[in-house]
Amino acid sequence: MASQLSRIMRPDDANLAGNVHGGTILKMIEEAGAIISTRHCNSQNGERCVAALARVERTDFLSPMCIGEVAHVSAEITYTSKHSVEVQVNVMSENILTGTKKLTNKATLWYVPLSLKNVDKVLEVPPVVYSRQEQEEEGRKRYEAQKLERMETKWRNGDIVQPVLNPEPNTVSYSQSSLIHLVGPSDCTLHGFVHGGVTMKLMDEVAGIVAARHCKTNIVTASVDAINFHDKIRRGCVITISGRMTFTSNKSMEIEVLVDADPVVDSTEKRYRAASAFFTYVSLNQEGSPLPVPQLVPETEDEKKRFEEGKGRYLQMKAKRQGRAEPQP
Protein backbone atom coordinates (compact mmCIF):
# COMPACT_ATOMS: atom_id res chain seq x y z
CA MET A 1 0.00 0.00 0.00
CA ALA A 2 1.37 3.42 -0.99
CA SER A 3 0.15 7.02 -1.24
CA GLN A 4 1.51 10.39 -2.36
CA LEU A 5 0.93 14.05 -1.47
CA SER A 6 2.09 17.00 -3.56
CA ARG A 7 2.21 20.71 -2.73
CA ILE A 8 3.95 23.76 -4.15
CA MET A 9 6.21 25.56 -1.68
CA ARG A 10 5.10 29.14 -1.01
CA PRO A 11 6.99 32.16 0.45
CA ASP A 12 5.39 31.60 3.87
CA ASP A 13 7.11 28.17 3.97
CA ALA A 14 10.58 29.79 3.92
CA ASN A 15 13.16 29.94 6.68
CA LEU A 16 15.56 32.87 7.16
CA ALA A 17 18.01 31.33 4.68
CA GLY A 18 15.30 31.41 1.98
CA ASN A 19 14.79 27.65 1.70
CA VAL A 20 11.78 25.65 2.87
CA HIS A 21 11.55 25.48 6.67
CA GLY A 22 12.57 22.09 8.05
CA GLY A 23 9.48 22.03 10.27
CA THR A 24 7.24 22.41 7.20
CA ILE A 25 8.83 19.34 5.62
CA LEU A 26 8.47 17.35 8.86
CA LYS A 27 4.79 18.28 9.01
CA MET A 28 4.20 17.09 5.43
CA ILE A 29 6.03 13.83 6.18
CA GLU A 30 3.77 13.19 9.18
CA GLU A 31 0.59 14.00 7.22
CA ALA A 32 1.49 11.46 4.54
CA GLY A 33 2.25 8.84 7.19
CA ALA A 34 -0.98 9.50 9.08
CA ILE A 35 -3.09 9.14 5.94
CA ILE A 36 -1.66 5.83 4.78
CA SER A 37 -1.55 4.25 8.25
CA THR A 38 -5.11 5.33 9.14
CA ARG A 39 -6.33 4.03 5.78
CA HIS A 40 -4.62 0.67 6.35
CA CYS A 41 -5.86 0.28 9.93
CA ASN A 42 -9.44 0.76 8.70
CA SER A 43 -9.08 -1.58 5.70
CA GLN A 44 -10.95 -4.42 7.41
CA ASN A 45 -14.34 -4.59 9.06
CA GLY A 46 -14.19 -3.80 12.74
CA GLU A 47 -13.88 -0.93 15.19
CA ARG A 48 -12.93 2.31 13.43
CA CYS A 49 -9.72 4.05 14.44
CA VAL A 50 -7.26 6.84 13.75
CA ALA A 51 -3.52 6.25 13.52
CA ALA A 52 -1.50 8.29 16.04
CA LEU A 53 2.19 9.04 15.62
CA ALA A 54 4.34 7.24 18.20
CA ARG A 55 7.88 7.72 16.90
CA VAL A 56 9.91 9.18 14.05
CA GLU A 57 13.24 7.53 13.34
CA ARG A 58 16.33 9.56 12.41
CA THR A 59 15.56 11.84 9.46
CA ASP A 60 18.31 13.39 7.34
CA PHE A 61 17.83 16.53 5.28
CA LEU A 62 19.73 15.42 2.19
CA SER A 63 19.20 18.50 0.05
CA PRO A 64 17.50 21.90 0.53
CA MET A 65 14.10 22.51 -1.01
CA CYS A 66 13.47 25.90 -2.62
CA ILE A 67 10.44 28.15 -2.64
CA GLY A 68 8.50 27.62 -5.88
CA GLU A 69 9.40 23.94 -6.11
CA VAL A 70 6.82 21.19 -5.71
CA ALA A 71 7.23 18.75 -2.85
CA HIS A 72 6.20 15.16 -3.65
CA VAL A 73 5.80 13.15 -0.43
CA SER A 74 5.39 9.41 -0.99
CA ALA A 75 4.56 6.99 1.83
CA GLU A 76 4.60 3.19 1.95
CA ILE A 77 3.79 0.71 4.71
CA THR A 78 6.78 -1.58 5.19
CA TYR A 79 5.93 -3.49 8.37
CA THR A 80 3.09 -4.13 10.81
CA SER A 81 3.20 -5.60 14.30
CA LYS A 82 0.14 -6.46 16.35
CA HIS A 83 -0.37 -2.86 17.48
CA SER A 84 1.85 -0.66 15.28
CA VAL A 85 2.54 0.32 11.67
CA GLU A 86 5.91 1.23 10.15
CA VAL A 87 5.74 3.78 7.33
CA GLN A 88 8.64 4.72 5.04
CA VAL A 89 8.41 8.25 3.59
CA ASN A 90 10.46 9.82 0.79
CA VAL A 91 10.34 13.51 -0.16
CA MET A 92 11.25 14.64 -3.66
CA SER A 93 11.49 18.24 -4.81
CA GLU A 94 10.58 19.17 -8.39
CA ASN A 95 11.54 22.33 -10.25
CA ILE A 96 8.46 22.69 -12.43
CA LEU A 97 10.29 25.06 -14.80
CA THR A 98 13.08 22.63 -15.67
CA GLY A 99 11.55 19.30 -14.60
CA THR A 100 14.56 18.58 -12.36
CA LYS A 101 13.81 16.31 -9.40
CA LYS A 102 15.93 15.43 -6.37
CA LEU A 103 15.53 13.45 -3.16
CA THR A 104 15.47 15.80 -0.15
CA ASN A 105 14.34 13.61 2.78
CA LYS A 106 13.90 10.00 3.87
CA ALA A 107 12.09 9.09 7.09
CA THR A 108 10.65 6.15 8.98
CA LEU A 109 7.59 6.67 11.18
CA TRP A 110 5.70 4.42 13.60
CA TYR A 111 1.95 4.73 14.23
CA VAL A 112 -0.50 3.06 16.59
CA PRO A 113 -4.27 2.76 15.89
CA LEU A 114 -6.50 4.39 18.52
CA SER A 115 -10.20 3.60 18.74
CA LEU A 116 -12.60 6.39 17.77
CA LYS A 117 -14.87 5.30 20.62
CA ASN A 118 -12.08 5.37 23.22
CA VAL A 119 -8.82 7.08 22.21
CA ASP A 120 -6.99 5.42 25.09
CA LYS A 121 -7.67 2.01 23.53
CA VAL A 122 -5.06 0.67 21.10
CA LEU A 123 -6.53 -1.63 18.45
CA GLU A 124 -4.94 -4.45 16.48
CA VAL A 125 -3.41 -3.71 13.08
CA PRO A 126 -4.41 -5.68 9.97
CA PRO A 127 -1.30 -7.55 8.77
CA VAL A 128 0.38 -6.67 5.50
CA VAL A 129 1.39 -9.23 2.89
CA TYR A 130 5.15 -9.39 2.28
CA SER A 131 6.62 -10.33 -1.07
CA ARG A 132 9.60 -11.96 0.67
CA GLN A 133 9.92 -13.60 4.08
CA GLU A 134 13.08 -11.58 4.70
CA GLN A 135 11.02 -8.36 4.63
CA GLU A 136 9.00 -9.47 7.64
CA GLU A 137 12.09 -10.60 9.55
CA GLU A 138 13.92 -7.35 8.86
CA GLY A 139 10.85 -5.35 9.87
CA ARG A 140 10.56 -7.27 13.14
CA LYS A 141 14.19 -6.42 13.96
CA ARG A 142 13.51 -2.71 13.31
CA TYR A 143 10.39 -2.91 15.49
CA GLU A 144 12.24 -4.47 18.42
CA ALA A 145 15.09 -1.95 18.10
CA GLN A 146 12.82 1.11 18.14
CA LYS A 147 10.78 -0.36 21.00
CA LEU A 148 13.95 -0.71 23.09
CA GLU A 149 15.08 2.82 22.27
CA ARG A 150 11.67 4.24 23.24
CA MET A 151 11.97 2.59 26.63
CA GLU A 152 15.46 4.03 27.11
CA THR A 153 14.25 7.62 26.51
CA LYS A 154 11.64 7.53 29.27
CA TRP A 155 14.21 8.18 32.00
CA ARG A 156 14.49 11.76 30.69
CA ASN A 157 10.84 12.49 31.45
CA GLY A 158 11.63 14.23 34.74
CA ASP A 159 14.32 16.46 33.24
CA ILE A 160 13.40 20.14 32.77
CA VAL A 161 15.10 23.23 31.30
CA GLN A 162 15.59 25.98 33.90
CA PRO A 163 16.32 29.64 32.99
CA VAL A 164 19.59 31.23 34.18
CA LEU A 165 20.21 34.95 34.79
CA ASN A 166 23.04 36.67 32.88
CA PRO A 167 24.52 33.58 31.22
CA GLU A 168 27.91 33.71 29.48
CA PRO A 169 28.13 33.37 25.66
CA ASN A 170 28.65 29.84 24.27
CA THR A 171 27.20 28.23 27.39
CA VAL A 172 24.10 26.02 27.43
CA SER A 173 22.14 28.64 29.38
CA TYR A 174 23.00 31.41 26.91
CA SER A 175 21.16 29.85 23.95
CA GLN A 176 18.49 27.72 25.65
CA SER A 177 14.99 28.77 24.58
CA SER A 178 11.35 27.99 25.20
CA LEU A 179 8.11 28.52 23.32
CA ILE A 180 4.68 28.41 24.98
CA HIS A 181 1.70 27.50 22.81
CA LEU A 182 -2.01 27.11 23.57
CA VAL A 183 -3.36 24.12 21.67
CA GLY A 184 -6.34 25.21 19.58
CA PRO A 185 -8.73 23.44 17.20
CA SER A 186 -6.55 24.14 14.14
CA ASP A 187 -3.69 22.19 15.77
CA CYS A 188 -5.78 19.07 16.32
CA THR A 189 -7.30 16.09 14.61
CA LEU A 190 -11.07 15.68 14.51
CA HIS A 191 -10.74 13.81 17.80
CA GLY A 192 -9.20 16.67 19.77
CA PHE A 193 -5.54 15.63 19.87
CA VAL A 194 -2.59 17.52 18.41
CA HIS A 195 -1.29 16.40 15.01
CA GLY A 196 2.20 14.92 15.36
CA GLY A 197 3.32 17.16 12.51
CA VAL A 198 2.25 20.31 14.39
CA THR A 199 4.34 19.25 17.39
CA MET A 200 7.36 18.47 15.19
CA LYS A 201 7.19 21.87 13.48
CA LEU A 202 7.12 23.68 16.83
CA MET A 203 10.05 21.56 18.04
CA ASP A 204 12.04 22.45 14.93
CA GLU A 205 11.31 26.16 15.43
CA VAL A 206 12.63 26.09 19.01
CA ALA A 207 15.71 24.09 18.01
CA GLY A 208 16.37 26.66 15.27
CA ILE A 209 16.18 29.53 17.78
CA VAL A 210 18.70 27.78 20.04
CA ALA A 211 21.08 27.22 17.11
CA ALA A 212 20.76 30.82 15.86
CA ARG A 213 21.35 32.24 19.34
CA HIS A 214 24.47 30.14 19.74
CA CYS A 215 26.20 30.94 16.45
CA LYS A 216 24.39 34.16 15.36
CA THR A 217 24.31 33.16 11.68
CA ASN A 218 21.89 31.58 9.25
CA ILE A 219 21.18 28.00 10.30
CA VAL A 220 19.42 25.02 8.72
CA THR A 221 18.21 21.66 9.97
CA ALA A 222 20.69 18.93 9.02
CA SER A 223 18.97 15.96 10.66
CA VAL A 224 16.53 14.92 13.35
CA ASP A 225 17.33 12.03 15.64
CA ALA A 226 14.45 9.83 16.76
CA ILE A 227 11.42 11.82 17.96
CA ASN A 228 9.54 9.95 20.66
CA PHE A 229 5.92 10.79 21.43
CA HIS A 230 5.37 9.72 25.03
CA ASP A 231 1.74 10.81 25.43
CA LYS A 232 -1.09 12.47 23.53
CA ILE A 233 -1.62 16.25 23.75
CA ARG A 234 -5.25 17.30 24.09
CA ARG A 235 -6.95 20.42 22.79
CA GLY A 236 -6.88 23.17 25.41
CA CYS A 237 -3.49 22.16 26.82
CA VAL A 238 -0.71 24.71 27.16
CA ILE A 239 2.48 23.17 25.81
CA THR A 240 6.00 24.33 26.59
CA ILE A 241 8.61 23.43 23.99
CA SER A 242 12.11 23.82 25.47
CA GLY A 243 15.42 23.50 23.66
CA ARG A 244 19.03 23.41 24.86
CA MET A 245 22.38 22.84 23.20
CA THR A 246 23.93 19.50 24.17
CA PHE A 247 26.94 19.11 21.85
CA THR A 248 28.92 20.90 19.14
CA SER A 249 31.34 19.49 16.59
CA ASN A 250 33.36 21.71 14.27
CA LYS A 251 30.44 22.29 11.92
CA SER A 252 27.29 21.03 13.64
CA MET A 253 25.18 21.57 16.75
CA GLU A 254 23.02 19.04 18.57
CA ILE A 255 19.96 20.45 20.35
CA GLU A 256 17.72 18.52 22.72
CA VAL A 257 14.04 19.51 22.55
CA LEU A 258 11.51 18.60 25.23
CA VAL A 259 7.73 19.08 25.00
CA ASP A 260 5.71 19.38 28.21
CA ALA A 261 1.91 19.58 28.28
CA ASP A 262 -0.09 21.33 30.98
CA PRO A 263 -3.85 20.47 30.96
CA VAL A 264 -4.90 23.87 32.37
CA VAL A 265 -8.63 23.24 31.83
CA ASP A 266 -8.48 20.00 33.84
CA SER A 267 -7.33 20.48 37.42
CA THR A 268 -7.22 16.71 38.01
CA GLU A 269 -4.30 16.19 35.61
CA LYS A 270 -0.70 17.20 36.17
CA ARG A 271 1.89 18.51 33.73
CA TYR A 272 3.52 15.69 31.76
CA ARG A 273 6.26 15.04 29.19
CA ALA A 274 4.65 14.60 25.77
CA ALA A 275 7.61 14.33 23.37
CA SER A 276 11.40 14.55 23.13
CA ALA A 277 14.03 14.57 20.38
CA PHE A 278 17.49 15.66 19.27
CA PHE A 279 17.91 18.02 16.30
CA THR A 280 21.17 18.69 14.45
CA TYR A 281 21.80 22.08 12.82
CA VAL A 282 24.59 23.56 10.74
CA SER A 283 25.69 27.18 10.44
CA LEU A 284 25.77 28.83 7.00
CA ASN A 285 27.27 32.01 5.54
CA GLN A 286 25.40 34.32 3.16
CA GLU A 287 26.31 32.09 0.20
CA GLY A 288 24.95 28.99 1.92
CA SER A 289 28.31 27.37 2.66
CA PRO A 290 28.95 25.72 6.07
CA LEU A 291 30.69 27.78 8.74
CA PRO A 292 32.65 26.67 11.81
CA VAL A 293 30.47 26.50 14.93
CA PRO A 294 31.47 28.23 18.21
CA GLN A 295 32.30 25.45 20.64
CA LEU A 296 29.84 24.84 23.46
CA VAL A 297 31.12 25.39 27.00
CA PRO A 298 29.36 22.95 29.35
CA GLU A 299 29.45 24.18 32.96
CA THR A 300 27.54 21.82 35.24
CA GLU A 301 28.10 18.10 35.68
CA ASP A 302 24.78 17.37 33.94
CA GLU A 303 25.79 19.54 30.98
CA LYS A 304 29.15 17.79 30.73
CA LYS A 305 27.41 14.41 30.83
CA ARG A 306 24.97 15.42 28.09
CA PHE A 307 27.91 16.75 26.03
CA GLU A 308 29.68 13.38 26.19
CA GLU A 309 26.46 11.55 25.32
CA GLY A 310 25.98 13.88 22.33
CA LYS A 311 29.57 13.29 21.26
CA GLY A 312 28.91 9.56 21.34
CA ARG A 313 25.85 9.95 19.09
CA TYR A 314 27.83 12.18 16.72
CA LEU A 315 30.73 9.73 16.41
CA GLN A 316 28.37 6.79 15.99
CA MET A 317 26.51 8.48 13.13
CA LYS A 318 29.77 9.65 11.56
CA ALA A 319 31.03 6.06 11.55
CA LYS A 320 27.79 4.87 9.92
CA ARG A 321 28.06 7.49 7.16
CA GLN A 322 31.68 6.58 6.48
CA GLY A 323 30.74 2.90 6.37
CA ARG A 324 28.08 3.56 3.74
CA ALA A 325 30.47 5.72 1.73
CA GLU A 326 33.20 3.07 1.55
CA PRO A 327 33.28 1.18 -1.80
CA GLN A 328 32.13 -2.40 -1.66
CA PRO A 329 34.74 -5.08 -2.57
Side-chain angles (χ1 to χ4, degrees), residues 84-325:
S84 63
V85 181
E86 181 192 52
V87 181
Q88 301 277 355
V89 180
N90 289 336
V91 183
M92 301 285 295
S93 66
E94 178 191 6
N95 184 321
I96 54 177
L97 300 180
T98 64
T100 304
K101 293 183 179 181
K102 58 184 177 182
L103 180 67
T104 63
N105 296 80
K106 297 179 72 174
T108 302
L109 303 90
W110 292 88
Y111 289 83
V112 293
L114 304 179
S115 167
L116 294 183
K117 296 178 180 178
N118 176 8
V119 291
D120 292 321
K121 179 182 178 183
V122 179
L123 301 180
E124 291 191 11
V125 176
V128 294
V129 178
Y130 303 97
S131 58
R132 295 181 294 107
Q133 185 178 355
E134 292 82 1
Q135 288 179 316
E136 184 174 9
E137 294 172 354
E138 292 165 359
R140 186 179 296 110
K141 290 179 181 177
R142 294 193 299 271
Y143 168 75
E144 294 297 338
Q146 65 86 26
K147 186 177 179 181
L148 180 61
E149 287 183 18
R150 276 179 56 81
M151 295 298 294
E152 291 175 347
T153 62
K154 288 191 175 182
W155 69 270
R156 290 183 178 271
N157 279 6
D159 202 6
I160 59 175
V161 177
Q162 298 283 7
V164 175
L165 293 176
N166 302 318
E168 292 293 324
N170 299 335
T171 62
V172 175
S173 302
Y174 184 80
S175 59
Q176 69 182 27
S177 305
S178 295
L179 184 154
I180 298 175
H181 179 76
L182 174 64
V183 175
S186 63
D187 299 319
C188 298
T189 66
L190 296 174
H191 316 292
F193 295 95
V194 176
H195 284 286
V198 170
T199 305
M200 289 195 293
K201 186 173 183 181
L202 291 171
M203 294 172 80
D204 184 68
E205 288 179 1
V206 170
I209 292 171
V210 173
R213 278 181 167 172
H214 180 76
C215 60
K216 301 190 183 329
T217 62
N218 284 335
I219 46 86
V220 293
T221 313
S223 65
V224 184
D225 209 345
I227 303 177
N228 289 292
F229 292 83
H230 308 294
D231 207 339
K232 299 182 291 295
I233 303 173
R234 295 172 175 80
R235 183 175 56 210
C237 281
V238 172
I239 56 175
T240 303
I241 305 99
S242 304
R244 62 187 172 198
M245 191 82 62
T246 51
F247 170 76
T248 53
S249 67
N250 290 333
K251 292 186 178 180
S252 67
M253 300 162 276
E254 182 191 71
I255 296 123
E256 182 180 29
V257 182
L258 308 171
V259 181
D260 295 314
D262 189 0
V264 292
V265 296
D266 188 348
S267 59
T268 64
E269 291 195 46
K270 296 181 179 180
R271 182 183 175 109
Y272 60 93
R273 178 62 42 81
S276 59
F278 290 97
F279 287 70
T280 300
Y281 274 75
V282 294
S283 173
L284 302 176
N285 62 19
Q286 295 298 323
E287 289 72 41
S289 299
L291 287 172
V293 171
Q295 292 305 290
L296 182 67
V297 181
E299 298 176 297
T300 69
E301 289 303 314
D302 283 343
E303 289 171 359
K304 292 175 182 177
K305 181 181 178 182
R306 286 194 290 268
F307 186 92
E308 290 302 317
E309 291 171 348
K311 183 178 180 180
R313 286 186 291 270
Y314 167 77
L315 293 175
Q316 185 179 37
M317 188 50 58
K318 185 178 180 180
K320 285 184 179 180
R321 287 197 301 266
Q322 290 176 341
R324 288 196 296 263

